[in-house]
Structures are given as structure tokens and as C-alpha cells.
Amino acid sequence: MDTIRILITGVGGQGTLLASRVLGGLAGELGCDVKVSEVHGMAQRGGSVVTYVCMGDRVASPLIEQGEADFLLAFEQLEAVRYMHMVRPGGTVVVNTQTIAPMPVIIGAAAYPEGLLDTLREAGLKVVAVDALQLAEQAGNARTVNTALMGALARQMAIGEEAMLRTLARIVPAKTVEVNQTAFRLGYEG
């Protein structure tokens, strides 16, 4: 398998770290070499977070240079735009339609930008917009936004459902396996 470079971004508390662990586990399930980066940014709840996952036959480094990511998995629209420069021309952005206001918006010093999905499209990126919060709620737990998004990502990567379902069963807490697998399926079928 050629190296696949995935950049994951969101805000602290959204489950981006679990997503990187699951994708790393998926690579192992598929028999790939995998490298996962450390967290860059403000990992506390509400701060911007980015991690890198690189998988393939042989991966030398987890770092992704500007314009090299094949996929951007964005848990929030503004974070997608913040990191769109990291995606290769024609790359794919799987983005949650949910918005989370940053502090300047919360305190009234700025307005949340409009037209962010259009900004991504105008940059020549393939945009897969997912209402992951609605899918997670449909699955039965709003905290499964991350697995709903991973379902949409897996479909774009042409990775079969079964490998990811097995990976989720190994990595998420036992009491949440069923709801996470349901959220993943909803995202995959999206």
C-alpha cells in the first residue's frame, strides 16, 4: 500500500486523540506500517488540536508537510479551514458540519466566519460534509461524533467496514463498543 497521510484536527475534548489511536490500530489490522504523531496545539478542552497518522507498506515519519496530506479529518469547520493548506491538491476533507465558537467569538470580539465549506471547495479540495453530531445522537451517544466521522473517512479511503469494526472493538471501552460501531456504520453509509 502506498503511504496514506491523514491529518486530524479539531478542538480539545472532541475525541481527536481516540480517532488517531483507532486509525493507528486500523493500520495494524490491515498489516501496514504506521506512525502517529504527538498532539500539536492546545490539547485542553476547547483548544485547537492536530495529529498526524501515516500508514503504508513502509512509513519513515509521522510528520506531514504542507500540501502532502491525502485526507483531512476535521471535527470542526473552522479547524478544517485552518489546516486546509496541509492537504495536497485534489485531496479529501471529511468535515463535521458542527461549529464550535472559539474564544474571540464567545466574548464578542469576532464573528464566526460564514461559507467555510465553500472556502474548502474553492481551494480545489474534495469536501465530504458530515453532520456527525446528528449521526452520533442517532447512534445513541453524542460522544461518538469521532467514530461517525471515521466511518465517513473509511468510506473515502475505500477501507471495508469489517476491519474498522474489529479495531473499534479492540480499542474503545467495552461498554461503548456497540454504540461506537453503530455510529461508525452510520458515518460509513452516510
Side-chain angles (χ1 to χ4, degrees):
M1 166 192 286
D2 290 337
T3 299
I4 298 172
R5 294 171 182 84
I6 307 162
L7 188 143
I8 304 169
T9 188
V11 297
Q14 285 191 290
T16 57
L17 297 180
L18 178 61
S20 64
R21 284 185 39 226
V22 170
L23 288 171
L26 173 67
E29 175 81 23
L30 298 174
C32 297
D33 187 17
V34 64
K35 302 287 188 289
V36 179
S37 76
E38 296 291 325
V39 177
H40 299 276
M42 304 273 297
Q44 78 261 16
R45 189 166 301 277
S48 181
V49 177
V50 63
T51 60
Y52 306 139
V53 178
C54 298
M55 64 176 82
D57 289 333
R58 187 161 188 259
V59 178
S61 169
L63 298 181
I64 300 171
E65 298 294 328
Q66 183 172 322
E68 287 188 347
D70 300 297
F71 297 94
L72 173 59
L73 180 61
F75 285 56
E76 200 276 336
Q77 291 183 52
L78 191 55
E79 295 301 314
V81 171
R82 183 185 320 263
Y83 289 100
M84 71 183 192
H85 67 281
M86 298 296 291
V87 183
R88 68 171 170 74
T92 300
V93 179
V94 176
V95 59
N96 189 2
T97 58
Q98 180 182 13
T99 60
I100 298 175
M103 190 54 66
V105 173
I106 292 170
I107 64 171
Y112 194 92
E114 295 184 19
L116 296 174
L117 297 178
D118 290 333
T119 299
L120 295 167
R121 289 182 188 103
E122 289 164 6
L125 302 172
K126 177 181 178 184
V127 177
V128 178
V130 180
D131 187 346
L133 180 58
Q134 185 272 327
L135 294 176
E137 289 171 345
Q138 184 180 340
N141 187 333
R143 296 183 68 195
T144 60
V145 163
N146 53 0
T147 48
L149 282 171
M150 284 188 288
L153 176 66
R155 183 175 182 152
Q156 295 303 308
M157 293 174 61
I159 292 175
E161 288 182 75
E162 294 308 313
M164 183 63 94
L165 293 173
R166 287 190 302 270
T167 301
L168 285 168
R170 279 195 335 270
I171 294 177
V172 301
K175 66 183 180 182
T176 68
V177 168
E178 186 176 332
V179 70
N180 274 287
Q181 288 179 334
T182 299
F184 172 83
R185 284 186 186 103
L186 290 169
Y188 193 89
E189 295 163 4

